[in-house]
Amino acid sequence: MSAQEPSIPPTPIKIHIPPTLQCYTIPLRSFLARNPMYNRLVCSAFIFAPPSPAATDPRLLLLRRSATDVAFPGLWEIPGGSAGEDDPSILHSLAREVFEETNLRLARVVRQVGAGIEWTEEKKKGADGTTTTTTEIRKWLKLSFEIEVAEM
């Protein structure tokens, strides 16, 4: 991501969501309540460039993480990030993350890719000046979607 955050897209666009993905048009809080085995959600997007005479093979948009990132510095990945409590729905979180990282506006959710990836993270917390330490277990789910963007 650049040092300057992109602004909100200038004009809202209508996003096409297939009926099979309507289950992701709910807020994060509702999704986590329905899936209590998770307490964190990440959304990511596979964005393919349309074929052209110059490039007939499929091309996938990948982003390189900053060398100063704490997690996975310098590695390549598809756009995505954490679903937010302030987003109206999970798919809005996906659109927000895609825009924040690429300045591209989600126009169509094509399909979900896979059933999701799960992982567990342990965070140890200690109070300053004490030996008391608690462990917070975070269960993550990463959902990936193939999408189309308005700018391509």
Side-chain angles (χ1 to χ4, degrees):
M1 188 182 306
S2 67
Q4 183 179 11
E5 293 288 323
S7 62
I8 301 292
T11 52
I13 58 172
K14 184 171 171 63
I15 298 172
H16 172 74
I17 301 167
T20 56
L21 298 180
Q22 289 298 317
C23 59
Y24 299 118
T25 60
I26 60 173
L28 174 63
R29 186 172 306 219
S30 299
F31 179 84
L32 294 176
R34 293 179 188 177
N35 299 278
M37 69 286 286
Y38 306 113
N39 51 15
R40 299 285 192 273
L41 180 66
V42 174
C43 300
S44 62
F46 287 89
I47 305 171
F48 292 94
S52 70
T56 55
D57 291 334
R59 294 175 294 151
L60 175 66
L61 176 64
L62 295 175
L63 306 177
R64 189 165 193 187
R65 296 180 69 94
S66 169
T68 59
D69 277 354
V70 174
F72 312 111
L75 294 182
W76 293 87
E77 66 181 349
I78 58 176
S82 293
E85 288 281 338
D86 295 336
D87 295 322
S89 75
I90 292 167
L91 293 179
H92 281 87
S93 292
L94 175 67
R96 176 185 50 76
E97 284 291 340
V98 166
F99 185 76
E100 285 177 0
E101 295 185 6
T102 67
N103 217 24
L104 299 172
R105 294 173 299 152
L106 189 155
R108 178 173 176 248
V109 182
V110 177
R111 64 186 176 99
Q112 184 174 351
V113 178
I117 299 169
E118 304 175 354
W119 71 94
T120 302
E121 174 186 46
E122 287 187 25
K123 289 266 187 177
K124 295 198 182 282
K125 294 182 177 184
D128 289 343
T130 70
T131 57
T132 306
T133 302
T134 59
T135 301
E136 177 187 4
I137 305 292
R138 294 180 179 174
K139 181 76 176 205
W140 293 78
L141 175 64
K142 180 177 186 177
L143 298 174
S144 297
F145 301 90
E146 180 181 344
I147 69 166
E148 293 175 357
V149 293
E151 290 74 16
M152 286 191 196

